[in-house]
Amino acid sequence: MVTLLDYGAGNIRSVRNAIIKLGVEVRDVKSPEDIITADKLIFPGVGSFGLVMSRLNEKGYTEPLIKRIHQDKPFLGICVALQALYEGSEESPGIPGLGVIPGRVRRFPEGKLSVPQIGWNNIQLRQETALMNSYEDEKLYFVHSYYANCNPVSENWVLATTDYGINFVSAVQKGNIAAFQFHPEKSGQPGLMILQNFLRPDSLGSIEIRNPVKEEIAETKIAKRIIACLDVRCNNRGDLVVTKGDQYDVKEKGEVRNLGKPVELAKRYYEEGADEITFLNITGFRDFPMQDQPMLEILKRTSENVFVPLTIGGGIKEFTDSEGKKYSSLDVASEYFRSGADKISIGSDAVFTVEKYLASGKKTGKSSIEQISTVYGAQAVVISIDPRRVYVHSPEDTHHTTIETSLPGQDGQKYCWYQCTVKGGREARDIDVIQLATGCEELGCGEILLNCIDKDGTNSGFDFELINMVKGAVSIPVIASSGAGSAAHFVQVFKETNAEAALAAGIFHRKEVAINEVKTAVAADGIEIR
Ligand code: 1PR
């Protein structure tokens, strides 16, 4: 039996599902006393540092937690819960942490690498521990903008370090108290094994110093991610199916193409090695997710068997139902997180938000991007962009940012700009991809899913010009999407652009190329991969 500290924020379902999968019973903390009396306690940190600390304070959990830790009773913190052990964080100035470990948590510096760090990286063990002795060759899943550094005053806590531009603390342990910056519940089989080690009766306790922090050890590298995308909608018979369009047209002879069942396909991609799974509810702009229980059900069922990150998009916007009840976009996103999503993706609503932001020049704090990223952190907010090329003869022919293209238009136009669309490409707006991407970054989104309507379903390869243009304008991670037709296309996209991840749909659904074939090809070219 293990006790879970669920303080009502974000995706705790994944940790719960991982523990259940390992055959261990989960009990919830219901009162402050439960924190002290639990045999083993897991504290999954989700949300911003400030949110976590304020929820702990509101519920009266802060003091019992500190007491439990000082009593050296088995404790495992995950992600922000590692950061909460420190004295404070740059993320939420003025809010004290638990103060168990000396030092403050900082933000990754802007530089060569995108912030947040989203993806699979290694750990370098600095001590011997039964918790995870043989996992240095395995990549584990990280998602964070803030880190604890290898401060000499907290050196005796450092269990493992990882490189992301700088060397940061990826795990701490002292006696029976341990915490990880990575997410074991999202790190596939190795992550589950690490969790299992914590759940074993004799896993904690004594540890031996192996590679003190002072000692230089080999650098770790973040891997490029391969993402499988499932576009989901109802078919003519009312069943939710995975579909796939050609340049966003998903119908063939009047019928919605049916390429499989969402939960089964997601499980298959997890087992085949996908680094992440994305569900897009492609008619979400007209449906309302909180009434769309089947979509929530898909997430819940998928998260029972899939232990890599899940992103869900479609219909994240504010909504008033037929009885006049209002739901904010934060309510909608929260429902998705509770159902098992790690990230939500916003399409149409991001375009409308940035249009207003550009017109007024002011942040309102009320947009879906701002609300969700304030509560759950930027890393939980992805913007899905659906752009289409618009050709011009000269940059002077438009007020939008153009590029000189190697693929001229039908009338020999040498320049193009990328126009953003809403409602699944049905409506084009007077905003270009650079305005949208930079606007969303300023408002607080943490990642961009960069589709391309011209390339979607064509199997002709990714649009490097588009990807390079956007990548050059933002400092958050970019997922290249649309057009993959072979394993070689993935190799090319990582060689020709700095995209952190590449996503495909059609080739995986039609079993034309397997995920491990893609990974083998990418690794053979010396590109870091899980
Ligand atoms: O506007 O917030 O409700 O979100 C709707 C979401 O649904 C957006 O993310 C939008 O991209 C997506 N969407 C809407 N209509 C379609 C459609 O296809 N008719 N799908 C659609 C977008 C694009 C990709 C696709 C890649 C890879 N799908 O995600 O999976 O292009 O495909 P490929 O490898 O087969 O080329 P909102």
Side-chain angles (χ1 to χ4, degrees):
M1 165 101 72
V2 67
T3 304
L4 199 58
L5 181 58
D6 181 351
Y7 46 93
N11 179 8
I12 304 271
R13 183 178 288 271
S14 302
V15 179
R16 189 184 302 278
N17 285 341
I19 300 168
I20 293 170
K21 185 91 185 166
L22 294 167
V24 174
E25 211 181 309
V26 184
R27 208 177 71 174
D28 284 297
V29 167
K30 298 235 166 58
S31 69
E33 295 78 70
D34 292 343
I35 292 181
I36 306 280
T37 54
D39 280 347
K40 291 201 168 185
L41 183 78
I42 298 189
F43 174 12
V46 270
S48 60
F49 185 93
L51 174 84
V52 170
M53 289 313 304
S54 70
R55 288 278 164 91
L56 292 181
N57 289 334
E58 276 162 26
K59 290 183 177 283
Y61 291 168
T62 310
E63 287 314 313
L65 260 180
I66 296 172
K67 193 167 163 198
R68 178 184 180 94
I69 292 168
H70 286 312
Q71 287 173 351
D72 194 32
K73 284 184 144 177
F75 168 95
L76 178 64
I78 299 173
C79 195
V80 189
L82 176 145
Q83 300 177 5
L85 294 176
Y86 286 80
E87 290 165 322
S89 168
E90 272 181 16
E91 186 177 16
S92 311
I95 298 183
L98 297 172
V100 173
I101 307 181
R104 293 180 63 76
V105 173
R106 300 183 184 172
R107 188 176 159 83
F108 280 123
E110 305 289 335
K112 225 174 101 211
L113 295 167
S114 301
V115 180
Q117 163 171 238
I118 301 184
W120 301 74
N121 206 330
N122 295 84
I123 53 167
Q124 299 284 1
L125 283 174
R126 303 289 187 163
Q127 307 183 37
E128 296 278 349
T129 168
L131 204 49
M132 43 179 192
N133 263 349
S134 53
Y135 294 97
E136 282 176 290
D137 295 334
E138 303 283 0
K139 295 235 182 255
L140 302 165
Y141 184 72
F142 289 82
V143 50
H144 58 132
S145 302
Y146 295 85
Y147 71 94
N149 71 347
C150 305
N151 189 335
V153 285
S154 53
E155 212 172 60
N156 53 348
W157 273 95
V158 179
L159 174 61
T161 58
T162 294
D163 294 291
Y164 192 69
I166 46 126
N167 195 243
F168 68 90
V169 177
S170 45
V172 293
Q173 188 183 351
K174 203 185 222 184
N176 288 315
I177 311 302
F180 306 145
Q181 182 59 64
F182 59 87
H183 285 264
E185 79 284 10
K186 288 283 148 190
S187 296
Q189 202 53 30
L192 291 181
M193 292 300 98
I194 292 172
L195 262 184
Q196 191 166 43
N197 286 344
F198 174 75
L199 298 171
R200 279 204 335 254
D202 55 348
S203 61
L204 291 159
S206 70
I207 44 177
E208 281 171 40
I209 299 292
R210 181 160 71 166
N211 296 307
V213 177
K214 289 184 259 332
E215 205 171 291
E216 279 306 309
I217 49 179
E219 212 186 311
T220 70
K221 283 203 187 108
I222 187 161
K224 299 288 184 183
R225 284 171 283 152
I226 306 297
I227 303 177
C229 182
L230 289 78
D231 290 356
V232 177
R233 65 162 285 176
C234 276
N235 67 8
N236 305 31
R237 278 176 291 282
D239 305 319
L240 264 188
V241 295
V242 175
T243 189
K244 184 66 211 74
D246 293 328
Q247 299 180 319
Y248 284 34
D249 180 1
V250 298
K251 290 195 175 166
E252 212 166 70
K253 296 185 191 134
E255 291 267 333
V256 172
R257 277 195 196 107
N258 181 348
L259 293 171
K261 294 184 179 164
V263 179
E264 280 80 351
L265 263 191
K267 183 164 181 272
R268 187 186 111 202
Y269 294 143
Y270 166 63
E271 286 165 358
E272 288 178 2
D275 296 317
E276 210 169 302
I277 311 260
T278 297
F279 288 110
L280 296 175
N281 177 2
I282 67 168
T283 51
F285 65 88
R286 51 176 185 239
D287 303 333
F288 177 52
M290 288 170 75
Q291 283 164 345
D292 191 2
Q293 293 304 327
M295 202 64 212
L296 297 174
E297 199 51 38
I298 283 176
L299 263 180
K300 288 179 190 161
R301 285 180 44 216
T302 301
S303 66
E304 285 169 14
N305 291 304
V306 172
F307 298 100
V308 292
L310 295 176
T311 302
I312 173 105
I316 297 186
K317 57 178 186 220
E318 60 179 33
F319 186 83
T320 306
D321 70 14
S322 52
E323 276 139 41
K325 184 164 184 224
K326 282 194 171 161
Y327 298 87
S328 68
S329 43
L330 182 61
D331 294 331
V332 180
S334 301
E335 196 57 37
Y336 274 148
F337 289 128
R338 276 194 291 272
S339 301
D342 299 285
K343 301 189 262 184
I344 53 87
S345 144
I346 310 175
S348 307
D349 194 60
V351 176
F352 300 132
T353 298
V354 173
E355 284 175 350
K356 284 188 207 138
Y357 173 50
L358 292 177
S360 68
K362 282 193 214 109
K363 295 183 186 175
T364 61
K366 293 192 177 129
S367 68
S368 48
I369 305 172
E370 291 162 284
Q371 285 187 43
I372 303 167
S373 73
T374 304
V375 176
Y376 292 101
Q379 77 290 337
V381 183
V382 183
I383 300 303
S384 169
I385 308 186
D386 299 319
R388 189 184 270 132
R389 280 185 173 218
V390 178
Y391 281 100
V392 286
H393 283 288
S394 144
E396 280 75 53
D397 294 347
T398 172
H399 58 281
H400 291 291
T401 309
T402 55
I403 48 161
E404 191 172 354
T405 172
S406 59
L407 301 163
Q410 277 183 346
D411 298 325
Q413 302 101 316
K414 283 199 198 130
Y415 296 88
C416 74
W417 63 280
Y418 288 89
Q419 180 167 32
C420 296
T421 64
V422 293
K423 302 177 185 166
R426 287 170 184 78
E427 191 185 318
R429 308 289 298 187
D430 186 26
I431 175 169
D432 64 55
V433 75
I434 298 300
Q435 290 173 303
L436 183 63
T438 53
C440 288
E441 183 177 15
E442 284 166 32
L443 291 169
C445 92
E447 191 172 36
I448 289 173
L449 164 53
L450 187 54
N451 303 299
C452 176
I453 299 181
D454 311 285
K455 285 284 191 177
D456 175 61
T458 62
N459 285 16
S460 62
F462 295 91
D463 186 338
F464 305 145
E465 291 178 338
L466 167 65
I467 300 159
N468 280 328
M469 185 188 197
V470 172
K471 196 62 207 142
V474 296
S475 57
I476 52 181
V478 171
I479 302 166
S481 163
S482 305
S486 65
H489 287 152
F490 289 85
V491 178
Q492 284 164 5
V493 79
F494 293 133
K495 291 186 104 169
E496 301 290 329
T497 78
N498 286 325
E500 277 80 3
L503 169 151
I507 52 165
F508 296 148
H509 303 336
R510 293 187 297 266
K511 295 195 173 166
E512 288 161 10
V513 179
I515 292 173
N516 63 6
E517 210 178 319
V518 171
K519 292 197 153 181
T520 307
V522 173
D525 238 277
I527 297 162
E528 194 76 12
I529 202 90
R530 174 173 78 107

